[in-house]
Amino acid sequence: MRSLTRTMGLCTFSLALIAASGCSTTSNQGNAMKLAAADPPEKSVVAPDVSHCALVTISSPVLYACNGKVYSEHKLARLREEARRQKAREDASKKPATNSGGAANGQGNSSANANSTAGTSASSKM
Amino acid sequence: MRLKVSFGARAFAAATVLLTLLWTPRLFAQVASGGGGPGSSGELHLFVDPNTGQLFIKPGPGRVPVSLPVSALGAALAKPPQPPAQQQQQLQQVEQRQQALEAKTQKLEANAQKTADQVTQMVPAWQHYVDTFGSRMYIGAQFWADWAWYPHTSYGPQLLTQINPPGPGNGGYNSIDITRSYINAFFNPTDDWILRITPNLYRQLGGATNQGYGALGGFGQTVSGNYSWRLKYGYMQYTKIFQGVDALSDDSLIVGQQPEPLVPWEEDLYGFRYVNLVTWNMSMASTFPGITLQGPIRFGEQRLQYIDYNVGVFDEGSFHALEQADTKEAMARVSVYPFGARWRYDGLGITTFYDWGWGNVTPDLMNLPADLKGPQSEIMRLAEIVHYTTDTWQIAFEYDWGRNAWSPGNQFSASGPAQIFGVEPSTEVPSYIVLNQAAWANLSNALMNNGRSYQQGLNVFGHYVLGDTPFTLFGWAEQWLPATNVKVDPFDFIRLVAGISYQYNEYVRIALDYQSILYYHKQMAFPVSYAQTFGWTAPTGFTGSTVPYAVAPDQQTVMLNFEYAF
């Protein structure tokens, strides 16, 4: 099950890479490439889940093996924290963009309203 | 009017006179005519006092006329007078000194600036120490604790280090225990030597008596039962022993009190040492003073590990015993990974461990003649383990064989019959029970401590991560035969461990588990005649033909375990 999830994740990530790199078949290929050059996608932080790593040694620090690589517990904790921050940044950047896009297009359907509400809520929190 | 005769003054006077004469024709003519010289425009007529050398423009007493050619005066005035050669030389010397002084001054100024810069940039020794502290030293810690509840108690081996539940008849006993409290300190001021110091918490039990204090006073012993600190690890590790040999470049030479080759390695393979002991740890300590050579052997472009070894020579006494023997104990573990391992346990591995030593007794005691040497005997331990490990699951099968490697001290490391430890039971207990237990204690000593006992163990252990959750199932099943040369050994047991572990984060784990010691033979009365073939002796007053109730009751335990490792 986990390998299936991982495979799906890889596929999603690959599709995202294809779209971001301008290799899609859509007509605005040039724009996509320009956008990529002006604002390169943030490098994804890979944070192995310690509970899915094998114990290498119980010492100081404790060492774990994940996907063939050995990490100290401190390194895994750091990666996990970095990944969490990155996700928070990505979430924060997505919400206002969706909101403004909806307003510019004048899409007054319920979906846009839902996004707008979410964006307002996020703004007020910030 | 008098003129000073210094050279400058004279030249100035001459020049003044000359200019006056040149630009005042009347005066010049008058002086020239008055002098009556060879030509009115070619000479200057003056008067000199020979005694003083003073020049005068007018005659007077003691003055004599003197004529000077105007051309000479003009030439003399036009060309500055040359200082004498000596003065020139002095002037040059002065100039040279001045130049040297200036150069020296510049140099001093430069040095002063340099010194000022150095002072500005100077880093105190303590600052350097603090800045590089993190790269030269690492301090970590490990903490294990549990709450253990025993619905059924019995005599048996320890489930974890230094937990000692009471014997049969104490169902419901429970305790909160601390089973490990390390301070791990690693020092590596250079990249080739590492020093490790690890103090370890342990429960200090026994060996203390109340003390008299003065003529009539006394005080009770205060050490038994206390948590105390002792040295667990103290060793120096040389990491460049095979420098230049690529396949062995990660190997080390370790000298000091260190993990022995099997038990700590197997604890890491299993991964749940904070819950239960590995099998041979019930017989031998995990730490010995000694010297070892150890590390992986890697080959190929990917530098996969194909062999992992640890070979060493140790004291007969472990880290918590005084060395008494003149012999030493040799241990070796070799793990082979036929398909290569990317990390320590990756994939399929086949491990062999062998230990060869003797009892930890002094040479004079060892040399005493005895039919059965008991604790002075040769000791051997063997383990064959086949293991397979991935990131999320692991399984291992282990076969153990031993010779004189299991004594009543191991069998009853948690608790056992009082007579085994030379202690008299409570006088409140009926005497026939005490006597039967004494006979049973002697039986255990006869079967397991006779100098010719052989042990055998079969184990399967492993763990499995539940999907994408932080929960892991784990377990250990062991059949242990303390004396295989006994037809039906009442002390044979099965140890079962089963539990679930929750990985809270990278540092904390919590486990809920069940552990038991199951004496699986049917209750029996052990024949005295058969027991005597192992050197059994009857306790005073015992007249039975069998040792009754030779099989101890089972022990059942439910534990909640905690681990914090940093």
Side-chain angles (χ1 to χ4, degrees):
Chain A
M1 179 177 175
R2 188 163 171 266
S3 60
L4 179 63
T5 307
R6 190 178 296 156
T7 306
M8 290 177 66
L10 282 173
C11 289
T12 307
F13 184 64
S14 303
L15 288 172
L17 277 182
I18 289 169
S21 64
C23 296
S24 66
T25 56
T26 54
S27 57
N28 60 349
Q29 177 178 342
N31 288 337
M33 292 188 73
K34 283 176 187 172
L35 284 173
D39 188 13
E42 194 170 8
K43 189 178 179 183
S44 177
V45 176
V46 179
D49 182 354
V50 66
S51 60
H52 297 88
C53 299
L55 184 72
V56 176
T57 181
I58 306 171
S59 184
S60 293
V62 178
L63 299 180
Y64 289 94
C66 320
N67 301 317
K69 287 180 67 178
V70 175
Y71 300 85
S72 73
E73 55 187 343
H74 307 310
K75 177 73 173 176
L76 287 176
R78 242 186 346 260
L79 288 173
R80 174 170 55 81
E81 189 59 23
E82 286 175 15
R84 187 189 64 79
R85 286 181 188 149
Q86 186 181 52
K87 187 173 185 309
R89 283 196 299 270
E90 289 171 356
D91 290 346
S93 64
K94 279 176 189 172
K95 286 175 181 173
T98 308
N99 186 22
S100 61
N105 294 330
Q107 295 172 347
N109 57 29
S110 60
S111 174
N113 287 338
N115 288 337
S116 176
T117 306
T120 305
S121 174
S123 298
S124 64
K125 283 180 184 174
M126 292 175 72
Chain B
M1 184 179 181
R2 297 174 60 176
L3 296 174
K4 296 291 182 184
V5 288
S6 66
F7 173 77
R10 273 183 290 181
F12 178 75
T16 304
V17 171
L18 183 59
L19 287 173
T20 303
L21 294 176
L22 284 174
W23 293 100
T24 313
R26 276 187 62 199
L27 180 59
F28 180 76
Q30 183 183 0
V31 171
S33 60
S40 60
S41 61
E43 291 183 338
L44 178 63
H45 301 283
L46 299 172
F47 303 91
V48 64
D49 186 340
N51 294 326
T52 63
Q54 289 178 303
L55 286 172
F56 300 91
I57 58 174
K58 290 181 180 177
R63 300 173 187 171
V64 296
V66 61
S67 299
L68 296 172
V70 174
S71 60
L73 278 177
L77 290 172
K79 193 175 181 180
Q82 294 295 325
Q86 191 177 357
Q87 285 181 340
Q88 259 189 341
Q89 192 177 359
Q90 287 176 348
L91 188 60
Q92 284 177 354
Q93 287 175 352
V94 169
E95 287 175 350
Q96 286 173 355
R97 284 176 191 166
Q98 192 173 355
Q99 288 173 356
L101 195 60
E102 286 175 358
K104 197 174 284 184
T105 304
Q106 288 175 354
K107 192 175 179 182
L108 284 174
E109 286 176 351
N111 285 342
Q113 185 59 40
K114 193 176 176 182
T115 304
D117 292 343
Q118 285 177 342
V119 169
T120 305
Q121 296 170 1
M122 192 178 290
V123 178
W126 65 265
Q127 184 69 50
H128 176 73
Y129 181 81
V130 169
D131 290 346
T132 58
F133 186 79
S135 62
R136 295 165 187 265
M137 184 177 180
Y138 181 88
I139 296 180
Q142 286 182 30
F143 176 79
W144 294 345
D146 67 75
W147 173 71
W149 174 58
Y150 303 82
H152 298 281
T153 56
S154 184
Y155 296 139
Q158 286 182 341
L159 304 177
L160 279 167
T161 307
Q162 305 294 338
I163 61 173
N164 299 81
N170 292 287
Y173 169 82
N174 65 96
S175 63
I176 298 170
D177 314 293
I178 298 171
T179 56
R180 176 170 286 185
S181 182
Y182 280 177
I183 299 291
N184 271 328
F186 295 87
F187 306 85
N188 56 326
T190 62
D191 62 355
D192 51 354
W193 282 98
I194 297 171
L195 172 65
R196 179 181 185 182
I197 304 291
T198 301
N200 173 40
L201 180 103
Y202 77 109
R203 178 83 77 180
Q204 184 165 337
L205 291 173
T209 57
N210 296 338
Q211 300 290 311
Y213 197 50
L216 294 172
F219 56 77
Q221 59 87 10
T222 59
V223 295
S224 185
N226 282 323
Y227 282 122
S228 306
W229 293 84
R230 62 183 174 188
L231 181 68
K232 183 66 184 289
Y233 300 120
Y235 62 77
M236 47 196 292
Q237 178 176 0
Y238 183 53
T239 59
K240 304 288 185 186
I241 186 73
F242 292 119
Q243 190 173 24
V245 183
D246 189 52
L248 304 173
S249 58
D250 292 333
D251 297 9
S252 293
L253 174 75
I254 298 181
V255 180
Q257 190 163 293
Q258 58 186 292
E260 44 93 333
L262 177 69
V263 170
W265 174 89
E266 191 173 1
E267 291 172 353
D268 291 341
L269 172 69
Y270 173 49
F272 294 89
R273 171 60 179 81
Y274 77 104
V275 172
N276 64 279
L277 299 177
V278 303
T279 294
W280 272 126
N281 199 188
M282 292 182 164
S283 164
M284 64 189 300
S286 63
T287 303
F288 281 77
I291 179 169
T292 61
L293 200 58
Q294 57 181 276
I297 300 178
R298 306 181 195 276
F299 299 110
E301 288 183 3
Q302 294 182 301
R303 287 183 55 74
L304 295 179
Q305 168 191 278
Y306 287 91
I307 296 172
D308 175 38
Y309 71 95
N310 186 333
V311 181
V313 177
F314 304 88
D315 275 355
E316 301 287 1
S318 69
F319 74 105
H320 49 66
L322 176 69
E323 176 72 349
Q324 300 180 55
D326 62 347
T327 55
K328 290 291 163 281
E329 189 167 0
M331 299 186 209
R333 176 187 55 80
V334 178
S335 301
V336 177
Y337 297 83
F339 303 109
R342 294 168 297 173
W343 53 278
R344 195 180 185 194
Y345 301 112
D346 187 23
L348 177 66
I350 302 163
T351 294
T352 297
F353 167 77
Y354 192 73
D355 168 29
W356 186 22
W358 283 268
N360 183 27
V361 293
T362 55
D364 58 351
L365 189 59
M366 177 70 86
N367 292 332
L368 289 176
D371 292 336
L372 298 171
K373 281 184 171 292
Q376 296 95 334
S377 306
E378 190 178 41
I379 296 170
M380 294 181 188
R381 297 181 182 92
L382 170 77
E384 293 289 349
I385 308 171
V386 179
H387 43 98
Y388 192 90
T389 307
T390 72
D391 286 5
T392 54
W393 61 273
Q394 169 268 324
I395 191 165
F397 301 93
E398 175 180 351
Y399 169 78
D400 301 312
W401 175 87
R403 181 182 178 193
N404 300 319
W406 191 263
S407 70
N410 304 121
Q411 180 79 17
F412 303 120
S413 58
S415 63
Q419 294 88 341
I420 281 289
F421 305 103
V423 179
E424 288 299 320
S426 168
T427 54
E428 303 296 322
V429 179
S431 58
Y432 75 94
I433 294 179
V434 173
L435 196 56
N436 284 343
Q437 181 169 279
W440 187 68
N442 285 5
L443 179 64
S444 72
N445 209 36
L447 300 186
M448 290 184 267
N449 201 21
N450 56 29
R452 55 179 179 173
S453 71
Y454 292 88
Q455 293 74 43
Q456 184 173 290
L458 294 172
N459 305 264
V460 55
F461 59 92
H463 64 264
Y464 180 80
V465 177
L466 292 174
D468 289 334
T469 72
F471 294 98
T472 302
L473 296 176
F474 63 89
W476 191 300
E478 167 197 1
Q479 183 196 39
W480 186 251
L481 312 178
T484 59
N485 47 344
V486 178
K487 290 176 188 170
V488 179
D489 183 357
F491 299 101
D492 292 344
F493 66 86
I494 289 175
R495 180 172 60 119
L496 292 178
V497 179
I500 185 166
S501 170
Y502 170 61
Q503 181 109 30
Y504 176 76
N505 61 21
E506 290 79 5
Y507 307 100
V508 176
R509 288 191 295 174
I510 302 168
L512 178 64
D513 50 281
Y514 161 83
Q515 302 190 40
S516 64
I517 302 291
L518 307 175
Y519 297 99
Y520 57 88
H521 289 299
K522 286 182 179 176
Q523 191 55 268
M524 69 175 79
F526 200 90
V528 163
S529 57
Y530 185 47
Q532 286 171 332
T533 63
F534 294 94
W536 179 85
T537 55
T540 304
F542 186 85
T543 57
S545 60
T546 60
V547 176
Y549 304 107
V551 180
D554 297 338
Q555 176 182 287
Q556 316 278 347
T557 312
V558 176
M559 272 197 199
L560 190 60
N561 303 81
F562 302 88
E563 177 189 62
Y564 194 115
F566 176 77

